[in-house]
Amino acid sequence: MSSSDSSSSSSASASDDPNPKLKPQPLESQFQSSVTLDGSDEASVSASVAEQRQQQGEDSGNGSIGGVVNVENNGHRDGSHREEIIALGVTADEDGGVVWRRANSEVEAPASPSSSGYAGERGSSGASSSSGAGEGSEEDEIEEVGNDDGDADGALDSQAEWTPGKRHVDEDDASMSWRKRKKHFFILSNSGKPIYSRYGDEHKLAGFSATLQAIISFVENGGDRVKYVKAGMHQVVFLVKGPIYLVCISCIEEPYESLVGHLELLYGQMILILTKSLNRCFEKNPKFDMTPLLGGTDVVFSALIHSFSWNPAAFLHAYTCLPLPYATRQAVAAVLQDVADSGVLFAILMCKHRVVSLVGAQKASLHPDDMLLLGNFVMSSESFRTSESFSPICLPRYNPMAFLHAYVHYFDADTYLILLTTRPDAFYHLKDCRIRLETVLLKSNVLSEVQRSMVDGGMRVEDLSVDLPQHTGSTSRADDKALERTRESALVGLGGPAGLWHFLYRSVYLDQYVSSEFSSPISTHRQQKRLYRAYQKLYVSMHNKGVGPHKTQFRRDENYVLLCWVTPDFELYAAFDPLADKALAIKTCNKVCQWVKDVENEIFLLGASPFSW
Amino acid sequence: MAATGNKNINAKLVLLGDPGAGKSSLVLRFVKGQFVEFQESTIGAAFFSQTLAVNDATVKFEIWDTAGQERYHSLAPMYYRGAAAAIIVYDITNQASFDRAKKWVQELQAQGNPNMVMALAGNKADLLDDRKVAAEEAQVYAQENGLFFMETSAKTATNVNDIFYEIAKRLPRVQPAQNPSGMVLTDRPAERAASATCCS
């Protein structure tokens, strides 16, 4: 499998970088001060670990069901976040019945008040047996898919052009094709009624939804919460939001944290459409069928799920700007500010998923996740393109209970304006604002500049100046060799200096990120998706609270060298050729940071109100 | 504005009806002369304007194409209040959409402007083989309720311009001093917003 060499340095003091915003401390010093393991020794160690892991995977894959359920203990008193790992042995009988066995009952901490909950739950045989019966069919399926390696829709994955809208409506949980889908998303109510399914007709999936509900309530009855279930290749991740249950079943290797993040965004998208007052419907009638309320929004959800495989905003929790000359962006901001001053809460000019400029009323700030959801909602709904529209929307991070009213107008195929107001009768005012705005934008040629920037694209790793310092004493032979290769590769257009293929840079204070254009080594859709997942995994590993605050990470596998550098001001994620030289890669990262600083006027929206709460 | 001769009339027009009945298709055919087979659901409400010349006047329609989805029903009053005309659209191949259209008529009779010109449009008239709602039935219903009725097809453009033209002709010529910009969306204050949730 993969031999990975990874080293990470964790240092608690942030004072390493006294003024990193202006002058980032060179990354190599961080590596020097940290314990780095490099070379073949390390590689062999990790290889054996990887082997072990693989073996484990196989064990659980072909055993009937060797699952690990991670349960969060709600009853714990000291407030600290505590997780218990409870191994559940689930054995399927021939007749499909399933027996749940708790193998590890001693993890019930004696002090925990909920320990009695476990025991009590076992007593309520009615609930557990009924959920167990439903369980059988569900787990059987996962096993089948596991045996198939879940690789069936590889063809679908490789297609570069993504068609919006729901696909495979004709499928249900009995269809083989449905079972082989790599990543399922479900939204259901706590009474087990299906609300949304990524694949297949929700109504035909009623039985399956009931099964998911049974699993969740089975654990809930014990005063606990099920976080995820691992079954062979599959990970089943649960998220409970009041009366709404969200479930992701994935056989793609993605961290639990990422999948929960996806479910959180999916929930946010639903709140954006309906507000949290949908909970009241369930208070009035627990058996409430929510599907009619979401009528016509399949495209919105499927576009969001699609963005989980390409849009870094989905895991970075930051937005990105269209590169524009500073003066141009300032000019747009000035016009938008006029609009905002006339009683508009937020005025946003976007080009696809990129922000051209945005302005908020005093003290109002927009969360990057809300921007992602809002942009997705507008872009995925074809109806906004036909004329000017006025629609209620809710910003879940701004106020999940109330609707705002959004005026949406497309200036051209990609560029659109969103004006958000609290006043339902403001349409004609917003329309006037738009007309004025359009006049200014046309006069100042902003719209054509936006179009040009779209065509020109953003930062290219090839443009990173190759004048790497040759006169560093510490590195010698390898350095020169790599430099040679660098020059060659630059000539044939294989990425940037030192084998740099791609980078992501996130400014912590601005809540914005910039991503380089994809260079030729990662030109295909499949390669880009794989890199996206690698970044996502890297992000999780750098933000995992349990492991401690890592500051740098260098990771080599057969696909890439990944380098990550996290400071209080920014986060850099860079991908290199798998054969890239480490010292050179580190130097290149410093170059990238400097480059970003040099052009930050053009790639970021500066002077926007900070987005923190 | 209400002078003799060539009058300019601003008229707010709202389209109501079930999702998929063809409200957006009718408007797009009328305003842009376009038709797409798979029209996506409207979000919230879309605004269009189109000017029509009738014999004695020029009528500028400000058209609100509302979303048929249930979650937007609570917003409908915002659009039909103060409207001079309404087109209630149903799909002739769908009985439920006709029943729903009758409910809209009731609501407009109870809540809407009493002088409102109301039209009933049986859309998708090109799909004769799948017809579920008889033209006679709709005609009788329309007569009983003081609407005028047409079967339309946004796909073939049959009767689309005609229905708007007919509305233009029927609009009261001596208009009450209407706000020229058509500003009146709602006469109730903003409290409406708080209650305008999905299920209220």
Side-chain angles (χ1 to χ4, degrees), chain B residues 174-197:
Chain B
V174 183
Q175 286 207 309
Q178 208 194 9
N179 190 333
S181 68
M183 194 51 202
V184 189
L185 258 181
T186 170
D187 22 338
R188 266 195 261 167
E191 58 173 278
R192 180 77 217 158
S195 63
T197 53

Side-chain angles (χ1 to χ4, degrees), chain B residues 13 23 26 29 32 35-36 38 54 70-72 78 85 88 91 112 114 128 130 139 141 148 157 169 173 180 189 193:
Chain B
L13 183 151
K23 298 177 291 302
L26 280 179
R29 172 61 81 186
K32 301 189 175 179
F35 177 81
V36 282
F38 298 101
V54 279
E70 188 184 328
R71 63 178 176 281
Y72 297 116
M78 201 162 101
I88 295 110
D91 170 359
L128 282 173
D130 299 320
Q139 182 65 58
Y141 174 80
F148 78 89
K169 282 203 295 193
R173 284 298 174 265

Side-chain angles (χ1 to χ4, degrees), chain A residues 404-480:
Chain A
L404 296 172
H405 296 266
Y407 172 91
V408 180
H409 179 78
Y410 271 85
F411 290 122
D412 56 46
D414 306 309
T415 317
Y416 54 97
L417 175 74
I418 307 176
L419 302 176
L420 297 176
T421 176
T422 51
R423 288 166 47 213
D425 58 350
F427 175 80
Y428 289 101
H429 170 63
L430 300 179
K431 183 179 162 70
D432 289 343
C433 288
R434 188 267 301 170
I435 293 168
R436 257 183 302 153
L437 202 96
E438 192 166 14
T439 316
V440 177
L441 294 182
L442 285 172
K443 253 188 203 158
S444 53
N445 279 327
V446 169
L447 290 179
S448 51
E449 264 187 82
V450 164
Q451 275 303 313
R452 201 178 322 134
S453 171
M454 271 276 294
V455 174
D456 291 351
M459 301 173 88
R460 283 168 215 283
V461 289
E462 292 85 354
D463 296 341
L464 184 62
S465 51
V466 200
D467 58 37
L468 286 165
Q470 283 111 323
H471 45 73
T472 40
S474 58
T475 50
S476 53
R477 207 167 37 84
D479 208 351
D480 290 342

Side-chain angles (χ1 to χ4, degrees), chain A residues 257-275:
Chain A
E257 289 81 359
S258 306
L259 296 176
V260 166
H262 296 167
L263 292 179
E264 290 274 2
L265 284 170
L266 207 60
Y267 179 69
Q269 191 75 77
M270 197 168 83
I271 297 302
L272 184 135
I273 297 165
L274 294 176
T275 79

Side-chain angles (χ1 to χ4, degrees), chain A residues 281 293 295 386 388 390 403 428, chain B residues 32 43 45 47 71 75 182 196 199:
Chain A
C281 305
L293 272 189
T386 51
E388 46 200 329
F390 196 54
F403 269 127
Y428 289 101
Chain B
K32 301 189 175 179
I43 305 290
F47 179 84
R71 63 178 176 281
L75 296 169
C199 47

